Amino acid sequence: MENNYIIEMLNITKEFPGIRANDNITLQLKKGEIHALLGENGAGKSTLMSILFGLYQPTSGTIKKNGEEVKINTPNDANDLNIGMVHQHFKLVECFSVLDNIILGVEPTKGLFLEKKGAREKVLQLSEKYGLKVDPDALISDITVGMQQRTEILKMLYRENEVLIFDEPTAVLTPQEITELMKIMKNLAKEGKSILFITHKLNEIMEVADRCTILQKGRYIGTVDIDKTSKEELSRMMVGRNVSFSVEKKPAKPGETVLKVEHMTVPSKAHNNNAVKDISFNVRRGEIVCIAGIDGNGQSEFVQGLTGLEKITAGKLIFNGKDIAKASIRDRSKSGMSHIPEDRHKHGLVLDYALEQNMVLQRYWQPDFQKAGFIKAKAVREYSDRLIEEYDVRSGQGSATIARSMSGGNQQKAIIAREIDKDPDLLVAVQPTRGLDVGAIEFIHKQLVAQRDQGKAVLLVSLELDEVMDVSDRILVMYEGEIVGQLDPKQVTVEELGLYMAGAKRDPVPAEV
């Protein structure tokens, strides 16, 4: 029976300072199966897969491939064993093109020269075959997060790996792209590839996985056959309690306008045209307005223009009665705007700072945290400890933990804690539940609704259709940089929303609502 397993991770333990990330875990992957790995944020899933890919070495335990013990000291060792990995936080060189990133490390040469023509053709064939359309010549720094995800997947397919590790592969994809990826994974399994699939999305596990292994706080809970279990049972095993899959909220009671966007235009970094084209709308106190759309239709540029990360070329941003279009990021923050960014690594955290320093990034100059230019270390620690407790941010060394060492989901919870605790008038939440488990998603949705019910204005930008439909009070659909529809989530169907998102349907949207 042993030969039926292509990969066996036996009694794996991994310790970091202050935390045992993996505690005697055994995971066995059959040839040609899709095996899901499920657990809360910080349960040890990414650590376990990083050990299999050679990024970490286990403190104890053994790894076998096709029944024979192997040593995987580096990712190159993993590649030599035909093990590939798509990471949750992409391992791409931002100043390189898509093509250069895909072939990096396995560059085809002719004599002393790079031979890219054949590589380009192979990449284009793979992208066509698997529906992963990319521009091979685009710079990574200029493309959307969704496009970067496709590049990572193509990098693995280009190497013809036989064991494929997907770490949260759908966290940044649109519903249509997720459906496509599910098909790709099934096709890869049919072709004899073996897939390990880390996800928090129970629907995806039920749809695509053959078996699922559940981890909780670094320990092995069990492995189940998907056709013999349910979403509810999986969530119970994962978080140790029943989880509500619906968002409970009372009808909105919109008040005065907090944000008024008038004829806003933002240029595109990737092309010569504008990414956001003359859009107008408003957001009022006591409501959650959601901007929905397929990734790459101007949402990222809109948020960057609104929060001050990019300059806008035309229009006004009236926030609490003042035009902040030319205000600095700090001034926008001080005037009552909070921002949960799309890319938590690039815009949300200083990864090599301690968690407590990240918690006061936008407040350290306030009297509470400094005196005569010196930081009050005790006050910062107490403040950070309180947020960690309130928002269940899990880390090995508490406030002293370096942000880089935390799981992606706990990094996200730290950002959300910091931004909500600023008591903003406007909370701009971009993909706030990206990469979070069902228990954390339930918690974040409650926080957004609580902000609304306290009379705050909430602007949600989400690619998750369930989130768009369940959390928002009003939906604005963005397509090719324009607002093409304003919809009531209680009256619109998912199918109709999809038509607007694809540009097949549009209605003129009044600036005043």
Side-chain angles (χ1 to χ4, degrees):
M1 187 66 190
E2 189 176 43
N3 289 334
N4 191 31
Y5 295 119
I6 187 167
I7 292 290
E8 293 175 274
M9 303 185 76
L10 305 172
N11 309 111
I12 300 292
T13 294
K14 177 63 180 174
E15 293 181 351
F16 294 104
I19 193 166
R20 184 171 282 190
N22 293 149
D23 188 356
N24 194 32
I25 294 172
T26 290
L27 173 70
Q28 295 170 308
L29 174 67
K30 293 178 181 176
K31 290 177 183 174
E33 84 164 334
I34 300 176
H35 194 119
L37 193 56
L38 181 65
E40 286 185 283
N41 301 120
K45 308 178 299 296
S46 293
T47 301
L48 189 66
M49 291 301 97
S50 294
I51 288 170
L52 181 57
F53 192 61
L55 291 168
Y56 297 140
Q57 275 63 56
T59 308
S60 62
T62 55
I63 300 173
K64 291 183 178 180
K65 180 159 188 256
N66 292 323
E68 293 182 14
E69 188 172 334
V70 293
K71 292 285 181 198
I72 307 175
N73 295 318
T74 68
N76 285 340
D77 294 339
N79 279 318
D80 291 343
L81 290 165
N82 285 323
I83 298 169
M85 183 169 181
V86 174
H87 301 267
Q88 181 181 1
H89 297 294
F90 312 133
K91 310 288 183 187
L92 298 170
V93 182
E94 295 228 332
C95 58
F96 280 17
S97 71
V98 168
L99 178 63
D100 288 341
N101 270 278
I102 291 171
I103 65 174
L104 189 62
V106 288
E107 297 90 342
T109 54
K110 197 171 184 180
L112 295 172
F113 298 96
L114 268 179
E115 178 49 64
K116 287 193 190 177
K117 189 179 175 190
R120 171 191 288 275
E121 285 172 7
K122 183 175 176 181
V123 167
L124 290 172
Q125 284 169 3
L126 285 169
S127 68
E128 187 65 35
K129 179 179 179 182
Y130 294 112
L132 295 161
K133 291 199 173 97
V134 292
D135 175 0
D137 301 313
L139 291 180
I140 295 297
S141 57
D142 291 340
I143 63 176
T144 65
V145 180
M147 289 286 185
Q148 291 177 29
Q149 172 74 277
R150 292 180 208 176
T151 305
E152 280 279 24
I153 295 170
L154 282 167
K155 195 162 77 173
M156 194 165 58
L157 295 173
Y158 182 84
R159 285 161 174 72
E160 298 176 3
N161 296 132
E162 58 181 358
V163 175
L164 312 179
I165 305 166
F166 287 88
D167 188 355
E168 296 284 351
T170 64
V172 293
L173 301 183
T174 64
Q176 291 87 341
E177 288 169 332
I178 290 169
T179 302
E180 197 58 45
L181 181 62
M182 297 291 114
K183 283 185 200 161
I184 291 165
M185 290 170 76
K186 286 176 181 172
N187 288 339
L188 288 167
K190 277 181 197 162
E191 288 174 16
K193 310 273 191 195
S194 306
I195 296 173
L196 282 161
F197 175 39
I198 302 177
T199 183
H200 294 116
K201 298 178 182 176
L202 299 173
N203 288 337
E204 293 170 8
I205 291 177
M206 299 305 293
E207 181 185 339
V208 82
D210 300 303
R211 292 191 302 150
C212 178
T213 291
I214 299 99
L215 305 183
Q216 193 182 104
K217 294 181 181 174
R219 292 192 179 93
Y220 174 82
I221 299 297
T223 299
V224 296
D225 292 326
I226 293 303
D227 57 6
K228 294 176 185 167
T229 190
S230 66
K231 268 197 333 182
E232 290 71 22
E233 181 58 29
L234 287 174
S235 68
R236 246 194 314 276
M237 290 177 77
M238 175 171 66
V239 300
R241 64 178 174 84
N242 291 327
V243 175
S244 171
F245 289 99
S246 60
V247 179
E248 294 176 13
K249 62 188 177 87
K250 297 170 187 167
K253 295 177 181 173
E256 65 187 32
T257 297
V258 171
L259 174 70
K260 192 172 184 184
V261 178
E262 295 181 350
H263 305 292
M264 177 186 186
T265 298
V266 184
S268 168
K269 283 193 283 187
H271 307 286
N272 293 326
N273 60 356
N274 290 318
V276 179
K277 304 165 187 169
D278 191 32
I279 66 170
S280 300
F281 67 90
N282 63 25
V283 188
R284 299 166 296 191
R285 291 190 182 279
E287 71 170 346
I288 300 173
V289 175
C290 180
I291 293 183
I294 295 169
D295 191 29
N297 277 275
Q299 304 97 312
S300 297
E301 291 86 352
F302 161 72
V303 170
Q304 287 169 0
L306 175 63
T307 56
L309 290 166
E310 289 290 335
K311 286 190 170 78
I312 69 172
T313 50
K316 292 181 179 179
L317 300 170
I318 311 296
F319 180 48
N320 281 335
K322 291 182 182 173
D323 187 0
I324 58 164
K326 293 182 179 170
S328 68
I329 295 173
R330 180 181 284 194
D331 285 343
R332 294 180 206 215
S333 175
K334 284 166 72 174
S335 64
M337 182 186 294
S338 278
H339 175 209
I340 299 165
E342 175 181 18
D343 189 330
R344 52 182 166 250
H345 282 186
K346 194 185 283 186
H347 299 130
L349 298 165
V350 181
L351 290 171
D352 293 315
Y353 278 13
L355 181 53
E356 61 191 350
Q357 292 169 312
N358 276 287
M359 289 299 201
V360 295
L361 269 184
Q362 297 171 2
R363 304 179 71 172
Y364 64 86
W365 62 83
Q366 294 176 351
D368 287 351
F369 302 116
Q370 66 87 25
K371 187 175 183 182
F374 291 93
I375 298 290
K376 297 179 184 175
K378 188 177 176 213
V380 170
R381 173 64 59 93
E382 287 172 355
Y383 176 71
S384 175
D385 286 348
R386 175 174 70 79
L387 291 189
I388 288 169
E389 178 71 27
E390 280 182 26
Y391 287 81
D392 189 29
V393 182
R394 297 179 190 176
S395 53
Q397 297 167 288
S399 290
T401 307
I402 299 302
R404 186 184 298 281
S405 69
M406 294 163 57
S407 73
N410 282 297
Q411 291 173 349
Q412 185 77 346
K413 285 200 270 189
I415 293 168
I416 287 164
R418 179 186 72 207
E419 297 303 319
I420 287 179
D421 200 72
K422 280 166 56 187
D423 194 27
D425 290 320
L426 174 68
L427 176 61
V428 183
V430 189
Q431 291 285 85
T433 58
R434 176 189 162 199
L436 297 185
D437 61 65
V438 287
I441 289 170
E442 179 188 44
F443 177 76
I444 299 309
H445 285 167
K446 281 181 179 171
Q447 295 297 321
L448 294 179
V449 172
Q451 288 295 296
R452 180 200 78 163
D453 292 346
Q454 288 169 29
K456 315 292 187 188
V458 180
L459 181 61
L460 172 66
V461 181
S462 179
L463 303 175
E464 302 282 350
L465 275 186
D466 289 345
E467 186 166 75
V468 171
M469 296 295 280
D470 292 347
V471 179
S472 59
D473 300 308
R474 189 155 51 95
I475 302 170
L476 300 173
V477 184
M478 205 162 188
Y479 176 72
E480 292 188 345
E482 299 177 40
I483 303 287
V484 296
Q486 178 177 280
L487 310 169
D488 183 342
K490 294 191 210 70
Q491 296 176 353
V492 72
T493 63
V494 171
E495 290 74 23
E496 190 179 1
L497 177 58
L499 289 174
Y500 280 96
M501 287 167 68
K505 194 170 182 182
R506 60 168 65 208
D507 296 324
V509 180
E512 287 292 338
V513 287

